[in-house]
Amino acid sequence: MQLEGICKVHSGIGMEYQYGEFYIDRDYLVFEQNYGYKMGKRHTYPLQGLENIALIPENNQVYLTFSCEKICFEIAGMEENLYPFYEAIHTRRGLPKVASTPQPKRSRYTTHHQYFFSK
């Protein structure tokens, strides 16, 4: 699940608008800012540290707000886009867990080494 757009960020030094993508990767909320071609910055926030998660309807729009440490985020958009992301953050589930299959135990050397050592 990915949410892209302009976000209002409040911090100790003031307020600014930033463009980027929000997505959930394992146990972290990732905010990836896109400055331009091959330029950007990635911020990660632990899902357990998110506070004040709310959907606020106002002026025919819906705002998703949440905070982590001393930074507050506000994302404006349509309810259809924001509600699934709100649910994923609020329940702190993120993406569904993928059942891992046990890996076979590896031998000490790779096939290449076994070929040369067997001579």
Side-chain angles (χ1 to χ4, degrees):
M1 168 158 310
Q2 186 175 12
L3 190 60
E4 183 176 353
I6 296 177
C7 167
K8 189 189 296 186
V9 180
H10 301 272
S11 64
I13 59 174
M15 187 269 300
E16 63 181 351
Y17 290 94
Q18 296 179 354
Y19 179 79
E21 299 173 351
F22 283 96
Y23 58 92
I24 298 174
D25 185 18
R26 297 184 187 139
D27 293 334
Y28 291 93
L29 175 69
V30 180
F31 178 47
E32 192 166 333
Q33 294 173 286
N34 300 324
Y35 298 124
Y37 181 70
K38 292 188 179 180
M39 294 178 62
K41 193 171 186 180
R42 180 178 295 162
H43 304 278
T44 57
Y45 304 98
L47 285 175
Q48 297 297 329
L50 296 180
E51 300 172 343
N52 305 325
I53 304 166
L55 271 179
I56 303 169
E58 188 176 300
N59 297 336
N60 297 329
Q61 267 195 326
V62 177
Y63 295 93
L64 173 61
T65 61
F66 55 90
S67 61
C68 185
E69 299 169 2
K70 297 180 181 179
I71 301 172
C72 299
F73 297 93
E74 183 177 308
I75 306 169
M78 302 300 293
E79 187 173 0
E80 298 84 33
N81 299 337
L82 295 179
Y83 190 74
F85 198 75
Y86 163 77
E87 282 293 316
I89 291 175
H90 188 67
T91 57
R92 290 169 170 68
R93 282 183 306 195
L95 298 175
K97 302 281 185 194
V98 176
S100 61
T101 58
Q103 297 293 325
K105 191 170 187 175
R106 290 184 162 206
S107 61
R108 186 169 179 185
Y109 299 105
T110 63
T111 307
H112 172 77
H113 288 103
Q114 289 173 353
Y115 173 76
F116 285 110
F117 291 137
S118 66
K119 289 185 178 182

